[in-house]
Amino acid sequence: MKLTESLWISIEDIYDKILRHPFIRGLTDGSLDEEAFRFYVIQDALYLKDYARGLALLGAKAPEDQWLMMFVEHARDVVVVERALHESFFKEWRLTDEEVYSTPMAPTNLLYTSYLLKTAYDRPFAETLGCFLPCYWIYGEVGKELQKRGSPKELFRRWIQTYSSEQYASIVRQVLEVMDQVAQGLKDGDLELIRKHFIVTSKMEYLFWEMGFHKQTWGI
Amino acid sequence: MKLTESLWISIEDIYDKILRHPFIRGLTDGSLDEEAFRFYVIQDALYLKDYARGLALLGAKAPEDQWLMMFVEHARDVVVVERALHESFFKEWRLTDEEVYSTPMAPTNLLYTSYLLKTAYDRPFAETLGCFLPCYWIYGEVGKELQKRGSPKELFRRWIQTYSSEQYASIVRQVLEVMDQVAQGLKDGDLELIRKHFIVTSKMEYLFWEMGFHKQTWGI
Amino acid sequence: MKLTESLWISIEDIYDKILRHPFIRGLTDGSLDEEAFRFYVIQDALYLKDYARGLALLGAKAPEDQWLMMFVEHARDVVVVERALHESFFKEWRLTDEEVYSTPMAPTNLLYTSYLLKTAYDRPFAETLGCFLPCYWIYGEVGKELQKRGSPKELFRRWIQTYSSEQYASIVRQVLEVMDQVAQGLKDGDLELIRKHFIVTSKMEYLFWEMGFHKQTWGI
Amino acid sequence: MKLTESLWISIEDIYDKILRHPFIRGLTDGSLDEEAFRFYVIQDALYLKDYARGLALLGAKAPEDQWLMMFVEHARDVVVVERALHESFFKEWRLTDEEVYSTPMAPTNLLYTSYLLKTAYDRPFAETLGCFLPCYWIYGEVGKELQKRGSPKELFRRWIQTYSSEQYASIVRQVLEVMDQVAQGLKDGDLELIRKHFIVTSKMEYLFWEMGFHKQTWGI
């Protein structure tokens, strides 16, 4: 079995819980509070800035030049996507750049981005890739599922389209391919470390929706 | 005003909330659930392993050799303290090393340690020091306060002693001295970044007690 | 005076020595030993792989998203340039990828790339940029000068064209612009650190030609 | 065969060349130019400052707490040794701290320290250890050999004593033990990467004596 097949099996229950999460369900039945959605999109913009930096680090550590090229291109694309949020959602909500970027990261967001960047600096390429994979992959899967379900609200449909394109699906396939190639040279112990990172950041994906749904605060 | 004086003012409300937290109150009136205390001490052991690594990084980035020496000595001391927990608390609870270290970090613990290590790799010395300072300082202050209050339970008294010694207070003073010296060469913008880190990790100190009190789980 | 203007003044003597170096003169009067040129091009291919990684790190540390995008694009472009060497020069010399990449880095090359990567990990963005700037800038200036002088050998003309294009000059201008913008927020001490890096890697540029000319070995 | 045994075999010819180097021979027959010795000791002081930082990074990446403790203690000890040079040699030569630390690193010194620090940031613990090992080990072996040979000059004998103590030999044995323990979990490919680093920095050890003997300049 390919490593990525086995990784997905490890998170099937987490993925099921994501699909059943009231945030996700609310996007497709239209019941999601627009305040929660807005909270989520702002936090996502903050997240993407750090995710792009992490991808640049992942590229810097890539053992193959082809992979370096791929991850630095994704780093740039992530900034492009982040900016598109401004032109679309933030403009509609009349939020200035200043308002968006002065928003503090919610605890779950800071947990997720700190964990990504710490791992990118501290650990070898293969483990770091395991850490970054759920964001690529789960968004792709969730995107396809949401596209299938549709949404009564134009605002939510617009967001859903970003992650449900064939272009996005193709990017995910390329990254999975790299993960499986890297895995071929590794020992069981190393594969388990990859899995550990992969499960942890998959949980963070779930918690990110949870954070949006509850408009998570620091409570202090 | 010294930077450190101004930093403490920034977190006075956070520090007050820490002193009033039921975990802290429970240590001194003996009402704290021993299960919560055990949860906390195990998480603390996991925390200290990463804190020691972060201090080694802080030492590596120190512009003065004297500070390099100080922080690598602290890195070693933190491991010594972490091991002392095993000889004292874990032995009493009949917890093996294996049981302690196979415990997953609770979300707040992973947030705190990831944030420390990410900052240590990513940011200059002065900011990183601002990030590490609350753990030194708040523990010292809380330790003195707890010592004053005392505790009816021997187990809690034993823990309180670690952080209320004059030796520990002297370490804190040295670190504060370094922070104030570093600050002298910095511009306002840099000082504000230090303050930002300092406030964020002070909040994490509060949340760490909260994590212990509620025996925080991942919820997924 | 802009920082970059003042930086260039700091290296005018180094730049003059580069223009008078027998390697550079030999490119335009055709007297350069083709063995030395081949040695140089192979070392350059090895250099560019690390330079690309360093640019990805520089991007990861960029305080502005616009700069992150720019440097990760350059990281990718550097790999493209490095690959073009294979299609052009290495093909003509019948050198396989395996032969090129199993060549050990000469000492000066390992010095230069290690210094770039060490700085990229260890130091803040502005200093790191000062460190990477000479490679962009001196190549651009040398390229224009070589273009003016021309060369009787087709092989050398082909190489000269890479660094004498208007497109390349425009890239250099963008990077200089970033350096000057970053400089505006800095204190004199920080500017001197940038200058120190800038002068050191400018010297390494000179030594790189020297390395090629003498087909430098480890001597051990 | 233990990894370290096999590593030593890889550098036997380099080690032989070190023992026959005129700098080393000159220390024991007293023929070494004191200017060259002074040049060397100043460069060594600069080297040790970075070596200490590298050891702190090595400690930060150590998978075992025991090793973290060992390497951060060594980081501190290296600063102690570096300071002892000031009390002994620099005092005698009437060199102030300012004079020592404003001396620029010679190219070979900057190559060696940049390579150590780059590797410490960029590569996993085992490879980094392979990179740091020659400095520990070759100095220990050279020290024992020099002690056997003796020296007619008091100044040189004083220097020789630092690296020929039983205490130093015991430190080297501990580090070799860690290298062999780490090696047990590794695949052939990883062991070859360790060997590659080990051979490269062993060559740098040789070149460091060479640098001292010729009072190496930048030549630009």
Side-chain angles (χ1 to χ4, degrees), chain C residues 17 111 117-118 121-122 220, chain D residues 17 111 118 121-122 220:
Chain C
K17 282 180 187 152
L111 164 60
L117 290 168
K118 181 254 292 189
Y121 275 115
D122 202 46
I220 169 78
Chain D
K17 282 179 188 154
L111 164 59
K118 181 255 293 189
Y121 275 115
D122 201 46
I220 169 78

Side-chain angles (χ1 to χ4, degrees), chain D residues 1-12 133 137 175-177 179-181 183 191 194-195 198-199:
Chain D
M1 199 193 301
K2 285 181 183 172
L3 173 63
T4 55
E5 286 168 10
S6 130
L7 288 177
W8 189 261
I9 292 169
S10 309
I11 62 151
E12 268 177 351
L133 199 50
W137 200 1
V175 176
L176 292 173
E177 180 62 27
M179 184 82 265
D180 283 321
Q181 279 185 47
L191 296 176
I194 292 171
R195 185 183 311 280
F198 181 79
I199 293 173

Side-chain angles (χ1 to χ4, degrees), chain C:
Chain C
M1 198 193 302
K2 285 182 184 172
L3 173 63
T4 54
E5 286 168 10
S6 130
L7 288 176
W8 188 262
I9 292 169
S10 310
I11 62 151
E12 267 177 352
D13 56 331
I14 298 170
Y15 179 65
D16 285 348
K17 282 180 187 152
I18 288 172
L19 288 189
R20 291 198 306 269
H21 195 280
F23 192 102
I24 295 292
R25 285 209 322 262
L27 280 170
T28 53
D29 65 17
S31 69
L32 180 66
D33 177 20
E34 195 174 321
E35 283 294 310
F37 182 66
R38 185 157 70 189
F39 182 96
Y40 166 86
V41 177
I42 292 170
Q43 290 294 324
D44 198 39
L46 302 174
Y47 172 88
L48 291 172
K49 287 167 78 80
D50 274 5
Y51 194 69
R53 277 157 180 82
L55 289 174
L57 293 171
L58 189 62
K61 288 206 169 172
E64 299 291 333
D65 290 351
Q66 191 61 37
W67 303 344
L68 160 62
M69 290 175 88
M70 190 176 89
F71 289 114
V72 297
E73 280 177 13
H74 292 181
R76 188 204 50 200
D77 295 348
V78 164
V79 180
V80 171
V81 167
E82 194 264 331
R83 292 188 167 194
L85 295 176
H86 293 259
E87 284 312 300
S88 170
F89 299 100
F90 298 147
K91 212 168 181 174
E92 184 155 332
W93 290 322
R94 302 183 180 217
L95 287 167
T96 63
D97 275 19
E98 218 284 317
E99 286 168 309
V100 171
Y101 295 131
S102 66
T103 306
M105 275 200 181
T108 293
N109 199 358
L110 192 60
L111 164 60
Y112 197 167
T113 54
S114 297
Y115 187 75
L116 288 170
L117 290 168
K118 181 254 292 189
T119 306
Y121 275 115
D122 202 46
R123 308 298 307 162
F125 176 75
E127 277 183 48
T128 303
L129 183 52
C131 203
F132 279 72
L133 200 50
C135 178
Y136 278 105
W137 199 0
I138 293 179
Y139 262 73
E141 292 302 311
V142 167
K144 279 189 278 184
E145 183 65 26
L146 291 176
Q147 182 72 4
K148 224 179 340 179
R149 296 188 192 169
S151 177
K153 285 192 77 164
E154 187 280 329
L155 193 71
F156 298 166
R157 282 202 302 276
R158 206 194 304 162
W159 184 85
I160 289 169
Q161 269 156 17
T162 314
Y163 296 102
S164 58
S165 64
E166 171 47 30
Q167 195 201 343
Y168 187 81
S170 141
I171 284 172
V172 173
R173 280 193 300 272
Q174 285 168 40
V175 176
L176 291 174
E177 180 62 27
V178 175
M179 184 83 264
D180 283 321
Q181 280 186 46
V182 169
Q184 281 166 15
L186 298 180
K187 301 193 347 166
D188 286 354
D190 295 329
L191 296 176
E192 283 320 298
L193 285 171
I194 292 172
R195 186 184 311 280
K196 208 182 129 198
H197 288 295
F198 182 77
I199 294 173
V200 167
T201 52
S202 293
K203 289 182 179 178
M204 291 177 187
E205 284 295 323
Y206 175 86
L207 295 173
F208 206 88
W209 304 110
E210 187 83 352
M211 170 200 78
F213 192 74
H214 296 292
K215 291 174 269 179
Q216 186 190 34
T217 60
W218 280 82
I220 169 78

Side-chain angles (χ1 to χ4, degrees), chain D residues 17-37:
Chain D
K17 282 179 188 154
I18 287 172
L19 288 190
R20 290 197 306 268
H21 194 280
F23 192 102
I24 295 293
R25 284 209 323 262
L27 280 170
T28 53
D29 65 17
S31 68
L32 180 66
D33 176 21
E34 195 173 320
E35 283 295 309
F37 183 66

